[in-house]
Amino acid sequence: MSGYLEIVAVATGFVCVWLYVRQVVWSWPATILSAALFFLVFYEARLYANMGLQLMFIGVAVYGWNQWLRGGETGTGVVVHKVTRAHAILLGTVTAIASAVLFFVLRSATDASQPLWDSIATALSLTGQWMLARKILENWLVWIVADLIFIGTYVEAELYPTAALYAAFLVLAVMGYFSWRRTLAHGRPIASV
């Protein structure tokens, strides 16, 4: 049963990231479904930080859904923009601290199979997902680094369909970066509904 669950989780995960690249608001409910499925997959694989990350993804999906519909200065949704230097420093610091705290907890309190990489990828994912919800262009760069780590983590855990998904996510993150950069240059999203 877990093999089928992983395949369905992979399919929904691909759909939600593909929708993010195209800036389609329905990416957020797709994320909620995908995260719920991956929560179960990671529980079985003893990837606890990744499991907890799925709960955070659900919370950020609710936030992101609202931001893409009603956020921004005009209340009509956030627009693609670049991160400021101050925010980049803050986000980098928070990500490093979160990685260290997660590593300490996983290493000392669980039987996590890969506490270091699990912690770093999880912290990067939280940062990337928040940046995605705010439509910060550089979210895709954070995702590229996280995806590279996740691919190795999932291969090591023998979650091959999930590793393949993250390889596809890596390609989508590169596409997303260039697509959103074009949006920023032209001032309009590819698709908004």
Side-chain angles (χ1 to χ4, degrees), residues 9-169:
V10 164
T12 59
F14 181 84
V15 167
C16 71
V17 175
W18 180 76
L19 291 172
Y20 286 136
V21 169
R22 298 188 44 76
Q23 298 182 52
V24 176
V25 74
W26 292 106
S27 56
W28 297 105
T31 296
I32 293 169
L33 174 60
S34 179
L37 295 171
F38 271 116
F39 178 89
L40 300 172
V41 170
F42 294 142
Y43 174 77
E44 289 183 9
R46 294 185 357 250
L47 292 170
Y48 302 123
N50 277 267
M51 189 178 79
L53 178 61
Q54 302 313 306
L55 297 176
M56 297 299 294
F57 280 161
I58 291 169
V60 175
V62 172
Y63 172 75
W65 199 353
N66 183 59
Q67 286 298 301
W68 281 29
L69 288 174
R70 296 180 195 87
E73 293 178 15
T74 63
T76 58
V78 291
V79 296
V80 175
H81 62 284
K82 294 185 108 183
V83 71
T84 65
R85 181 182 302 275
H87 276 123
I89 292 168
L90 177 63
L91 290 168
T93 302
V94 169
T95 302
I97 292 169
S99 294
V101 169
L102 278 170
F103 175 70
F104 175 77
V105 170
L106 290 177
R107 185 151 185 197
S108 62
T110 74
D111 64 343
S113 59
Q114 300 177 52
L116 177 62
W117 296 116
D118 199 7
S119 300
I120 293 169
T122 297
L124 285 169
S125 295
L126 290 172
T127 300
Q129 194 71 1
W130 181 84
M131 292 171 74
L132 180 68
R134 302 289 303 158
K135 281 197 176 178
I136 299 172
L137 172 66
E138 294 83 1
N139 87 84
W140 296 110
L141 301 177
V142 173
W143 280 115
I144 288 168
V145 175
D147 291 341
L148 288 168
I149 295 169
F150 278 130
I151 291 166
T153 301
Y154 299 142
V155 166
E156 179 69 24
E158 298 181 3
L159 295 172
Y160 300 116
T162 303
L165 172 66
Y166 276 77
F169 282 171

